[in-house]
Amino acid sequence: MTSIGGAEMVDWNLAVATATRFVRPGPEVSRDEARAVVAELRRHAKASEEHVREFTRMIPEGARPRDTPVLVVDRAGWIKANVAGFRELLRPLLDKMQERRSGTAGGAVLGAVGGKVTGVEVGMLLSFLASRVLGQYETFAPGGSDLPSGDPGEGNGGGRLLLVAPNIVHVERELEVEPHDFRLWVCLHEETHRTQFTGVPWLRDHLEGEIQSFLSETEMDPMTVLERFREAAQSLVGARPEGEQDEDGRSIVEIVQTPAQREILGRLTAVMSLLEGHADFVMDGVGPAVVPSVAEIREKFQQRRARGASRLDLALRKLLGLDAKLRQYRDGERFVRAVVEEVGMEGFNRVWTSPNTLPTKAEIAKPADWVARVHRKGEGAP
């Protein structure tokens, strides 16, 4: 990125540097406390694997699904991992936009300046998010010397589970819950995502295909994309007038939609609702047997999710589409619970048979319609 003509649409190194510089410091812990937290999270992650597999019955007994690493990271580590993932996932879109830019007047200057500007904007957004994420199964993670990824295997792709230790400690202190119980509770949720992708061989490729189809339909001018990032960053630092919203109050994702993208986004929303809701359902199902204070944790955590930390949080959640993620937890969990009550866990697990058995967005809202469609072939509900 030293030459103007070869500048990327996003200066990813600058994004990492910006996010690392501006991310909030984590909670104060001694060196010994930090080591103990990391060790306990690793133990809980390992224990969660058995709990989740026994409860979900997604992986047949005796089967050995592809393994992926579990990494306990700090906020800077989460930032580096996500920049690497974004860079890989967004490459086709950014290549397309760069090609379009190169044919316009002043395209080279936009490449030199725009890449730096966007790098700063992306970094500011990541600095905001880095202090809030407790854990993440990074499905599209590229391997690296500092943050290894899983073996791609045969069409399964890599992947890694990230547990953000300082954020977990911060939230358990904020909620005033029992630390050991809370750490296991978080691990149960994140291990469910890991089991989803390691236990369903086609899921990663299907999800990546949908995302790439969504990105390939993007016809937005590069400067418009830069402006959306700028709006989000200005909200973050309080530079926008209080109460000012983007057009129609829509999120960045919603704004870039074409008609074809709306169809794809509907399917992606359904899949993400399923995955998030399933993780919440499993967490609640396993919790009472292994997490003594699960009821207290769940109640306090739900209250925290609902209220957000501030008006700034609420504005950014809307702009980034994070409010939609909160709805996915609720809608998806209701779908999973209703289907399991109707046809049992084995009947629900038919959802993982193929992309054709995934619920539609409409079926997430009406679980009985999914049951009727997937279980209608003469044998009835199990």
Side-chain angles (χ1 to χ4, degrees):
M1 286 186 287
T2 56
S3 64
I4 292 179
E8 294 189 46
M9 289 293 297
V10 180
D11 187 333
W12 295 108
N13 292 331
L14 184 57
V16 172
T18 301
T20 303
R21 177 182 177 186
F22 287 100
V23 70
R24 296 176 183 176
E28 291 188 9
V29 294
S30 68
R31 187 180 298 272
D32 288 343
E33 287 175 317
R35 288 173 177 165
V37 170
V38 170
E40 183 172 32
L41 286 172
R42 287 174 176 160
R43 290 195 304 271
H44 284 333
K46 184 63 178 177
S48 295
E49 183 177 316
E50 182 177 347
H51 294 317
V52 169
R53 291 183 182 183
E54 181 180 355
F55 182 81
T56 64
R57 302 198 290 276
M58 289 179 62
I59 299 173
E61 188 174 350
R64 297 180 63 85
R66 177 180 51 86
D67 193 23
T68 56
V70 177
L71 307 174
V72 181
V73 298
D74 58 11
R75 290 171 178 174
W78 182 87
I79 288 167
K80 291 176 183 177
N82 276 267
V83 165
F86 288 158
R87 188 172 191 168
E88 192 71 19
L89 194 62
L90 296 176
R91 190 183 303 277
L93 172 64
L94 296 180
D95 287 347
K96 175 182 177 181
M97 294 174 67
Q98 187 162 347
E99 181 180 348
R100 178 182 301 176
R101 180 198 65 198
S102 64
T104 62
V109 175
L110 176 61
V113 178
K116 298 293 184 184
V117 171
T118 312
V120 172
E121 313 297 12
V122 171
M124 292 298 293
L125 295 177
L126 286 172
S127 72
F128 170 80
L129 296 171
S131 62
R132 287 158 172 77
V133 176
L134 301 182
Q136 171 187 4
Y137 186 75
E138 206 188 0
T139 314
F140 308 108
S145 57
D146 53 345
L147 289 170
S149 179
D151 183 353
E154 297 181 2
N156 283 342
R160 57 194 175 204
L161 177 59
L162 305 179
L163 298 169
V164 191
N167 296 351
I168 294 172
V169 172
H170 171 78
V171 174
E172 70 192 25
R173 290 178 178 179
E174 177 187 326
L175 298 182
E176 298 181 336
V177 294
E178 209 289 318
H180 305 293
D181 285 2
F182 183 74
R183 295 167 193 174
L184 177 56
W185 189 74
V186 170
C187 287
L188 288 170
H189 182 101
E190 303 307 330
E191 175 57 36
T192 302
H193 288 316
R194 184 166 174 255
T195 299
Q196 289 164 348
F197 283 95
T198 56
V200 183
W202 52 265
L203 184 57
R204 179 199 182 275
D205 288 343
H206 171 72
L207 193 58
E208 182 178 23
E210 292 281 57
I211 292 172
Q212 292 302 337
S213 295
F214 181 89
L215 296 177
S216 69
E217 289 287 335
T218 298
E219 297 295 340
M220 183 174 284
D221 177 79
M223 286 303 296
T224 305
V225 175
L226 298 184
E227 183 60 28
R228 294 308 175 195
F229 279 117
R230 192 164 298 113
E231 288 176 359
Q234 287 172 347
S235 292
L236 178 60
V237 299
R240 300 178 71 193
E242 184 174 350
E244 180 181 321
Q245 298 292 327
D246 60 296
E247 56 183 91
D248 300 328
R250 292 177 292 169
S251 72
I252 289 174
V253 171
E254 292 171 319
I255 288 168
V256 303
Q257 287 181 70
T258 65
Q261 282 180 311
R262 282 193 288 273
E263 293 184 15
I264 299 168
L265 189 61
R267 296 195 297 268
L268 279 170
T269 299
V271 174
M272 298 311 297
S273 297
L274 170 69
L275 298 180
E276 297 292 358
H278 183 235
D280 266 12
F281 177 78
V282 172
M283 187 168 57
D284 286 348
V286 175
V290 297
V291 182
S293 59
V294 65
E296 177 190 3
I297 291 172
R298 182 67 156 148
E299 181 180 0
K300 290 183 175 180
F301 196 77
Q302 287 288 66
Q303 291 172 354
R304 182 180 186 272
R305 267 185 186 170
R307 69 175 181 265
S310 65
R311 291 186 63 187
L312 174 60
D313 265 2
L314 295 175
L316 271 172
R317 284 194 332 204
K318 176 62 181 177
L319 186 59
L320 298 175
L322 299 182
D323 55 341
K325 187 176 178 65
L326 296 178
R327 290 195 299 272
Q328 288 168 6
Y329 284 108
R330 295 191 298 267
D331 297 345
E333 196 274 341
R334 282 195 292 264
F335 170 84
V336 176
R337 185 173 302 280
V339 171
V340 171
E341 288 177 356
E342 179 70 19
V343 297
M345 186 64 76
E346 295 298 332
F348 165 79
N349 280 341
R350 290 196 188 182
V351 78
W352 313 117
T353 304
S354 75
N356 292 330
T357 57
L358 291 172
T360 65
K361 188 177 179 181
E363 288 171 342
I364 288 287
K366 295 183 177 180
D369 290 352
W370 180 88
V371 173
R373 176 170 67 86
V374 174
H375 291 268
R376 70 182 176 213
K377 297 183 178 179
E379 77 275 19

